[in-house]
Amino acid sequence: LLRWKHPEYGAISPARFIPVAEESGYIAVLGDWVLGEACRQARIWLDAGCPCRVAVNLSAREILEPNFIKRLQGHLLASGLPPQWLELELTERALYDGNGAAERLADLRDLGVSLAIDDFGTGYSSLSYLKHLPIHRLKLDRSFVTDIETDPNDAAICTATIALGHSLGLELVAEGVETQAQRDFLARLDCDVLQG
């Protein structure tokens, strides 16, 4: 996740500057730099014997840029990073708003990169879309994980989402896991990855 440390204003949240970058069209330049840096750093870790998949959040506007796939291929080639070590994350809203972003996923998957739906459950959550998207994993939004031990609705949503994802052959990532009780609850559900 990109962070901005401004010399005068200190840490500026991505929630503030990403929408401005998207509206101004600067997101393509910013996102291109982030992709290049992510590929470069992932290759450094791979060479150091610490292989790990690096995930990069993207907007629909970025993947709809006409030369996005070519630029992505360029970053992978320049860094020497095998594509399986890069994951691209898009939100439900980015995929389900009829802008054509969902159609680009097959091209991205053909490159060998992993694809994830980020913040799953907070957007449209269209199950008909979900069964057709060429994705590898769902990231269950932290808003459902935070009160998983005390809110029966959150517990039910997490339980159902993990079961649904697994039945579709997807890996499930729970975001915002901060307590041992949350970890234990999600482990009982066989959640694949805990992030927090």
Side-chain angles (χ1 to χ4, degrees):
L1 295 173
L2 188 62
R3 297 292 185 255
W4 181 6
K5 294 180 184 175
H6 192 279
E8 184 179 344
Y9 302 112
I12 298 176
S13 166
R16 285 185 57 205
F17 69 82
I18 294 295
V20 173
E22 287 178 337
E23 288 171 23
S24 68
Y26 191 69
I27 193 69
V29 174
L30 191 59
D32 191 53
W33 178 82
V34 169
L35 272 174
E37 288 298 301
C39 289
R40 184 187 63 75
Q41 184 61 57
R43 183 64 211 209
I44 290 170
W45 288 328
L46 187 62
D47 290 343
C50 236
C52 63
R53 189 174 52 239
V54 174
V56 176
N57 295 82
L58 297 176
S59 70
R61 175 175 263 171
E62 287 175 88
I63 69 166
L64 291 172
E65 289 283 322
N67 61 351
F68 175 76
I69 291 177
K70 190 173 188 172
R71 287 195 333 261
L72 176 58
Q73 287 173 313
H75 289 307
L76 291 168
L77 286 171
S79 65
L81 181 69
Q84 69 265 25
W85 297 109
L86 179 65
E87 179 168 284
L88 304 177
E89 296 183 2
L90 290 108
T91 64
E92 289 177 277
R93 286 190 177 97
L95 292 171
Y96 300 150
D97 68 2
N99 59 16
E103 289 75 20
R104 297 293 298 270
L105 293 184
D107 296 332
L108 293 169
R109 186 171 180 150
D110 288 347
L111 287 179
V113 298
S114 295
L115 300 170
I117 296 180
D118 195 18
D119 302 334
F120 185 74
T122 61
Y124 302 107
S125 299
S126 170
L127 299 181
S128 63
Y129 259 103
L130 188 57
K131 72 179 186 176
H132 295 295
L133 294 174
I135 59 171
H136 299 93
R137 63 194 49 80
L138 292 178
K139 297 189 77 178
L140 184 61
D141 190 71
R142 72 183 314 121
S143 63
F144 302 115
V145 173
T146 300
D147 296 321
I148 199 170
E149 316 122 272
T150 57
D151 185 331
N153 292 326
D154 285 342
I157 289 169
C158 289
T159 301
T161 302
I162 291 168
L164 171 67
H166 284 160
S167 69
L168 292 171
L170 302 173
E171 184 179 72
L172 268 289
V173 178
E175 299 178 307
V177 179
E178 301 294 336
T179 69
Q180 186 66 39
Q182 291 167 342
R183 183 226 165 273
D184 293 345
F185 188 99
L186 291 161
R188 284 192 302 275
L189 297 176
D190 293 323
C191 188
D192 301 294
V193 177
L194 308 180
Q195 177 182 321

mmCIF file of all heavy atoms in Angstrom, residues 1-5 11-19 21 26-27 29-35 37-38 55-58 62:
data_model
loop_
_atom_site.group_PDB
_atom_site.id
_atom_site.type_symbol
_atom_site.label_atom_id
_atom_site.label_comp_id
_atom_site.label_asym_id
_atom_site.label_seq_id
_atom_site.Cartn_x
_atom_site.Cartn_y
_atom_site.Cartn_z
ATOM 1 N N LEU A 1 0.837 -1.178 0.000
ATOM 2 C CA LEU A 1 0.000 0.000 0.000
ATOM 3 C C LEU A 1 0.878 1.236 0.000
ATOM 4 O O LEU A 1 1.826 1.335 0.768
ATOM 5 C CB LEU A 1 -0.905 0.010 1.228
ATOM 6 C CG LEU A 1 -1.942 -1.100 1.292
ATOM 7 C CD1 LEU A 1 -2.646 -1.075 2.632
ATOM 8 C CD2 LEU A 1 -2.938 -0.976 0.175
ATOM 9 N N LEU A 2 0.548 2.166 -0.853
ATOM 10 C CA LEU A 2 1.319 3.390 -0.989
ATOM 11 C C LEU A 2 1.035 4.318 0.184
ATOM 12 O O LEU A 2 -0.107 4.487 0.599
ATOM 13 C CB LEU A 2 0.944 4.069 -2.309
ATOM 14 C CG LEU A 2 1.775 5.260 -2.735
ATOM 15 C CD1 LEU A 2 3.232 4.855 -2.941
ATOM 16 C CD2 LEU A 2 1.216 5.841 -4.029
ATOM 17 N N ARG A 3 2.063 4.926 0.717
ATOM 18 C CA ARG A 3 1.950 5.910 1.794
ATOM 19 C C ARG A 3 2.663 7.179 1.361
ATOM 20 O O ARG A 3 3.652 7.136 0.636
ATOM 21 C CB ARG A 3 2.582 5.384 3.090
ATOM 22 C CG ARG A 3 1.901 4.151 3.641
ATOM 23 C CD ARG A 3 0.500 4.495 4.134
ATOM 24 N NE ARG A 3 -0.139 3.369 4.769
ATOM 25 C CZ ARG A 3 -1.091 2.642 4.225
ATOM 26 N NH1 ARG A 3 -1.487 2.895 2.998
ATOM 27 N NH2 ARG A 3 -1.651 1.662 4.882
ATOM 28 N N TRP A 4 2.177 8.319 1.829
ATOM 29 C CA TRP A 4 2.779 9.606 1.484
ATOM 30 C C TRP A 4 3.196 10.291 2.770
ATOM 31 O O TRP A 4 2.376 10.585 3.630
ATOM 32 C CB TRP A 4 1.775 10.463 0.731
ATOM 33 C CG TRP A 4 2.276 11.808 0.298
ATOM 34 C CD1 TRP A 4 3.533 12.296 0.391
ATOM 35 C CD2 TRP A 4 1.493 12.835 -0.308
ATOM 36 N NE1 TRP A 4 3.593 13.561 -0.119
ATOM 37 C CE2 TRP A 4 2.353 13.915 -0.565
ATOM 38 C CE3 TRP A 4 0.155 12.938 -0.665
ATOM 39 C CZ2 TRP A 4 1.907 15.092 -1.150
ATOM 40 C CZ3 TRP A 4 -0.283 14.108 -1.254
ATOM 41 C CH2 TRP A 4 0.595 15.156 -1.497
ATOM 42 N N LYS A 5 4.499 10.527 2.886
ATOM 43 C CA LYS A 5 5.039 11.270 4.031
ATOM 44 C C LYS A 5 5.381 12.669 3.542
ATOM 45 O O LYS A 5 6.440 12.896 2.967
ATOM 46 C CB LYS A 5 6.265 10.560 4.607
ATOM 47 C CG LYS A 5 5.952 9.225 5.216
ATOM 48 C CD LYS A 5 7.191 8.554 5.768
ATOM 49 C CE LYS A 5 6.849 7.178 6.278
ATOM 50 N NZ LYS A 5 8.046 6.452 6.712
ATOM 51 N N ALA A 11 2.183 12.324 7.664
ATOM 52 C CA ALA A 11 1.597 11.178 6.965
ATOM 53 C C ALA A 11 0.216 11.546 6.422
ATOM 54 O O ALA A 11 -0.650 11.986 7.160
ATOM 55 C CB ALA A 11 1.491 9.992 7.898
ATOM 56 N N ILE A 12 0.048 11.345 5.117
ATOM 57 C CA ILE A 12 -1.235 11.601 4.469
ATOM 58 C C ILE A 12 -1.810 10.259 4.044
ATOM 59 O O ILE A 12 -1.164 9.480 3.340
ATOM 60 C CB ILE A 12 -1.065 12.543 3.256
ATOM 61 C CG1 ILE A 12 -0.510 13.890 3.738
ATOM 62 C CG2 ILE A 12 -2.391 12.717 2.527
ATOM 63 C CD1 ILE A 12 -0.220 14.862 2.631
ATOM 64 N N SER A 13 -3.021 10.005 4.469
ATOM 65 C CA SER A 13 -3.679 8.726 4.212
ATOM 66 C C SER A 13 -3.957 8.519 2.722
ATOM 67 O O SER A 13 -4.341 9.454 2.025
ATOM 68 C CB SER A 13 -5.000 8.681 4.980
ATOM 69 O OG SER A 13 -5.805 7.624 4.529
ATOM 70 N N PRO A 14 -3.805 7.279 2.245
ATOM 71 C CA PRO A 14 -4.175 6.984 0.866
ATOM 72 C C PRO A 14 -5.653 7.286 0.595
ATOM 73 O O PRO A 14 -6.026 7.585 -0.530
ATOM 74 C CB PRO A 14 -3.890 5.494 0.703
ATOM 75 C CG PRO A 14 -3.102 5.089 1.871
ATOM 76 C CD PRO A 14 -3.252 6.120 2.933
ATOM 77 N N ALA A 15 -6.476 7.216 1.636
ATOM 78 C CA ALA A 15 -7.896 7.542 1.470
ATOM 79 C C ALA A 15 -8.069 8.990 1.019
ATOM 80 O O ALA A 15 -9.075 9.330 0.394
ATOM 81 C CB ALA A 15 -8.649 7.299 2.773
ATOM 82 N N ARG A 16 -7.076 9.835 1.308
ATOM 83 C CA ARG A 16 -7.149 11.242 0.888
ATOM 84 C C ARG A 16 -6.517 11.475 -0.472
ATOM 85 O O ARG A 16 -7.057 12.203 -1.296
ATOM 86 C CB ARG A 16 -6.454 12.134 1.920
ATOM 87 C CG ARG A 16 -7.269 12.323 3.176
ATOM 88 C CD ARG A 16 -6.655 13.299 4.139
ATOM 89 N NE ARG A 16 -6.442 14.613 3.550
ATOM 90 C CZ ARG A 16 -5.527 15.481 3.974
ATOM 91 N NH1 ARG A 16 -4.752 15.164 4.985
ATOM 92 N NH2 ARG A 16 -5.394 16.639 3.395
ATOM 93 N N PHE A 17 -5.346 10.872 -0.733
ATOM 94 C CA PHE A 17 -4.656 11.241 -1.969
ATOM 95 C C PHE A 17 -4.957 10.336 -3.164
ATOM 96 O O PHE A 17 -4.850 10.779 -4.304
ATOM 97 C CB PHE A 17 -3.143 11.389 -1.766
ATOM 98 C CG PHE A 17 -2.380 10.135 -1.494
ATOM 99 C CD1 PHE A 17 -1.983 9.299 -2.527
ATOM 100 C CD2 PHE A 17 -2.002 9.808 -0.201
ATOM 101 C CE1 PHE A 17 -1.252 8.151 -2.279
ATOM 102 C CE2 PHE A 17 -1.265 8.665 0.052
ATOM 103 C CZ PHE A 17 -0.897 7.835 -0.991
ATOM 104 N N ILE A 18 -5.371 9.093 -2.946
ATOM 105 C CA ILE A 18 -5.675 8.209 -4.079
ATOM 106 C C ILE A 18 -6.888 8.719 -4.877
ATOM 107 O O ILE A 18 -6.832 8.768 -6.109
ATOM 108 C CB ILE A 18 -5.843 6.746 -3.629
ATOM 109 C CG1 ILE A 18 -4.512 6.191 -3.099
ATOM 110 C CG2 ILE A 18 -6.391 5.881 -4.763
ATOM 111 C CD1 ILE A 18 -3.402 6.077 -4.120
ATOM 112 N N PRO A 19 -7.992 9.110 -4.213
ATOM 113 C CA PRO A 19 -9.114 9.642 -5.009
ATOM 114 C C PRO A 19 -8.727 10.879 -5.832
ATOM 115 O O PRO A 19 -9.189 11.032 -6.966
ATOM 116 C CB PRO A 19 -10.169 9.992 -3.948
ATOM 117 C CG PRO A 19 -9.863 9.092 -2.807
ATOM 118 C CD PRO A 19 -8.367 8.964 -2.800
ATOM 119 N N ALA A 21 -5.729 11.467 -7.039
ATOM 120 C CA ALA A 21 -4.913 10.961 -8.147
ATOM 121 C C ALA A 21 -5.798 10.337 -9.220
ATOM 122 O O ALA A 21 -5.538 10.496 -10.415
ATOM 123 C CB ALA A 21 -3.894 9.948 -7.631
ATOM 124 N N TYR A 26 -3.703 11.231 -12.646
ATOM 125 C CA TYR A 26 -2.325 10.972 -12.250
ATOM 126 C C TYR A 26 -2.137 9.551 -11.717
ATOM 127 O O TYR A 26 -1.019 9.079 -11.574
ATOM 128 C CB TYR A 26 -1.878 11.998 -11.203
ATOM 129 C CG TYR A 26 -0.399 11.967 -10.933
ATOM 130 C CD1 TYR A 26 0.521 12.396 -11.896
ATOM 131 C CD2 TYR A 26 0.088 11.502 -9.717
ATOM 132 C CE1 TYR A 26 1.878 12.349 -11.653
ATOM 133 C CE2 TYR A 26 1.452 11.457 -9.474
ATOM 134 C CZ TYR A 26 2.333 11.881 -10.440
ATOM 135 O OH TYR A 26 3.669 11.827 -10.196
ATOM 136 N N ILE A 27 -3.237 8.845 -11.473
ATOM 137 C CA ILE A 27 -3.154 7.504 -10.904
ATOM 138 C C ILE A 27 -2.363 6.562 -11.806
ATOM 139 O O ILE A 27 -1.664 5.670 -11.317
ATOM 140 C CB ILE A 27 -4.558 6.935 -10.595
ATOM 141 C CG1 ILE A 27 -4.454 5.679 -9.713
ATOM 142 C CG2 ILE A 27 -5.329 6.623 -11.867
ATOM 143 C CD1 ILE A 27 -4.003 5.928 -8.319
ATOM 144 N N VAL A 29 0.277 7.234 -13.696
ATOM 145 C CA VAL A 29 1.706 7.482 -13.481
ATOM 146 C C VAL A 29 2.128 6.951 -12.109
ATOM 147 O O VAL A 29 3.145 6.266 -11.975
ATOM 148 C CB VAL A 29 2.021 8.993 -13.598
ATOM 149 C CG1 VAL A 29 3.467 9.283 -13.227
ATOM 150 C CG2 VAL A 29 1.698 9.491 -14.989
ATOM 151 N N LEU A 30 1.330 7.256 -11.110
ATOM 152 C CA LEU A 30 1.621 6.807 -9.747
ATOM 153 C C LEU A 30 1.603 5.281 -9.658
ATOM 154 O O LEU A 30 2.513 4.660 -9.113
ATOM 155 C CB LEU A 30 0.585 7.408 -8.803
ATOM 156 C CG LEU A 30 0.815 7.300 -7.314
ATOM 157 C CD1 LEU A 30 2.119 7.959 -6.906
ATOM 158 C CD2 LEU A 30 -0.353 7.944 -6.572
ATOM 159 N N GLY A 31 0.558 4.676 -10.239
ATOM 160 C CA GLY A 31 0.438 3.225 -10.209
ATOM 161 C C GLY A 31 1.547 2.526 -10.968
ATOM 162 O O GLY A 31 2.025 1.466 -10.556
ATOM 163 N N ASP A 32 1.980 3.128 -12.066
ATOM 164 C CA ASP A 32 3.069 2.555 -12.845
ATOM 165 C C ASP A 32 4.356 2.523 -12.020
ATOM 166 O O ASP A 32 5.082 1.531 -12.016
ATOM 167 C CB ASP A 32 3.272 3.353 -14.134
ATOM 168 C CG ASP A 32 4.205 2.663 -15.098
ATOM 169 O OD1 ASP A 32 3.967 1.478 -15.418
ATOM 170 O OD2 ASP A 32 5.179 3.302 -15.534
ATOM 171 N N TRP A 33 4.625 3.594 -11.297
ATOM 172 C CA TRP A 33 5.806 3.651 -10.428
ATOM 173 C C TRP A 33 5.704 2.582 -9.338
ATOM 174 O O TRP A 33 6.674 1.869 -9.055
ATOM 175 C CB TRP A 33 5.953 5.047 -9.811
ATOM 176 C CG TRP A 33 7.113 5.136 -8.873
ATOM 177 C CD1 TRP A 33 8.427 5.329 -9.204
ATOM 178 C CD2 TRP A 33 7.071 5.001 -7.451
ATOM 179 N NE1 TRP A 33 9.199 5.330 -8.064
ATOM 180 C CE2 TRP A 33 8.392 5.129 -6.973
ATOM 181 C CE3 TRP A 33 6.051 4.796 -6.529
ATOM 182 C CZ2 TRP A 33 8.715 5.056 -5.635
ATOM 183 C CZ3 TRP A 33 6.360 4.717 -5.187
ATOM 184 C CH2 TRP A 33 7.687 4.851 -4.760
ATOM 185 N N VAL A 34 4.518 2.450 -8.728
ATOM 186 C CA VAL A 34 4.320 1.459 -7.662
ATOM 187 C C VAL A 34 4.554 0.048 -8.196
ATOM 188 O O VAL A 34 5.232 -0.765 -7.552
ATOM 189 C CB VAL A 34 2.911 1.589 -7.038
ATOM 190 C CG1 VAL A 34 2.606 0.411 -6.127
ATOM 191 C CG2 VAL A 34 2.782 2.886 -6.270
ATOM 192 N N LEU A 35 4.015 -0.255 -9.368
ATOM 193 C CA LEU A 35 4.224 -1.584 -9.954
ATOM 194 C C LEU A 35 5.702 -1.873 -10.180
ATOM 195 O O LEU A 35 6.187 -2.966 -9.868
ATOM 196 C CB LEU A 35 3.478 -1.705 -11.281
ATOM 197 C CG LEU A 35 2.040 -2.164 -11.208
ATOM 198 C CD1 LEU A 35 1.399 -2.090 -12.586
ATOM 199 C CD2 LEU A 35 1.937 -3.562 -10.640
ATOM 200 N N GLU A 37 8.295 -0.543 -8.630
ATOM 201 C CA GLU A 37 8.968 -0.711 -7.336
ATOM 202 C C GLU A 37 8.612 -2.049 -6.688
ATOM 203 O O GLU A 37 9.469 -2.704 -6.099
ATOM 204 C CB GLU A 37 8.606 0.442 -6.398
ATOM 205 C CG GLU A 37 9.252 1.753 -6.781
ATOM 206 C CD GLU A 37 10.772 1.679 -6.721
ATOM 207 O OE1 GLU A 37 11.325 1.396 -5.644
ATOM 208 O OE2 GLU A 37 11.406 1.894 -7.771
ATOM 209 N N ALA A 38 7.355 -2.459 -6.793
ATOM 210 C CA ALA A 38 6.937 -3.736 -6.209
ATOM 211 C C ALA A 38 7.658 -4.902 -6.877
ATOM 212 O O ALA A 38 8.140 -5.819 -6.204
ATOM 213 C CB ALA A 38 5.425 -3.897 -6.330
ATOM 214 N N ALA A 55 1.596 -8.027 -3.277
ATOM 215 C CA ALA A 55 0.305 -7.597 -3.801
ATOM 216 C C ALA A 55 0.292 -6.087 -3.991
ATOM 217 O O ALA A 55 0.792 -5.343 -3.159
ATOM 218 C CB ALA A 55 -0.813 -8.011 -2.847
ATOM 219 N N VAL A 56 -0.293 -5.670 -5.113
ATOM 220 C CA VAL A 56 -0.402 -4.253 -5.451
ATOM 221 C C VAL A 56 -1.871 -3.947 -5.716
ATOM 222 O O VAL A 56 -2.514 -4.620 -6.518
ATOM 223 C CB VAL A 56 0.442 -3.906 -6.701
ATOM 224 C CG1 VAL A 56 0.237 -2.455 -7.104
ATOM 225 C CG2 VAL A 56 1.911 -4.208 -6.460
ATOM 226 N N ASN A 57 -2.388 -2.936 -5.019
ATOM 227 C CA ASN A 57 -3.759 -2.494 -5.251
ATOM 228 C C ASN A 57 -3.822 -1.660 -6.520
ATOM 229 O O ASN A 57 -2.981 -0.800 -6.741
ATOM 230 C CB ASN A 57 -4.252 -1.642 -4.072
ATOM 231 C CG ASN A 57 -4.343 -2.431 -2.800
ATOM 232 O OD1 ASN A 57 -3.348 -2.617 -2.123
ATOM 233 N ND2 ASN A 57 -5.518 -2.902 -2.473
ATOM 234 N N LEU A 58 -4.842 -1.923 -7.345
ATOM 235 C CA LEU A 58 -5.038 -1.179 -8.582
ATOM 236 C C LEU A 58 -6.450 -0.624 -8.647
ATOM 237 O O LEU A 58 -7.374 -1.187 -8.065
ATOM 238 C CB LEU A 58 -4.840 -2.095 -9.799
ATOM 239 C CG LEU A 58 -3.478 -2.702 -10.020
ATOM 240 C CD1 LEU A 58 -3.523 -3.653 -11.205
ATOM 241 C CD2 LEU A 58 -2.442 -1.623 -10.265
ATOM 242 N N GLU A 62 -6.652 2.251 -13.864
ATOM 243 C CA GLU A 62 -5.294 1.817 -14.213
ATOM 244 C C GLU A 62 -5.301 0.654 -15.194
ATOM 245 O O GLU A 62 -4.595 0.675 -16.197
ATOM 246 C CB GLU A 62 -4.526 1.407 -12.955
ATOM 247 C CG GLU A 62 -4.119 2.567 -12.080
ATOM 248 C CD GLU A 62 -3.469 2.088 -10.811
ATOM 249 O OE1 GLU A 62 -2.243 1.895 -10.830
ATOM 250 O OE2 GLU A 62 -4.198 1.888 -9.815
#
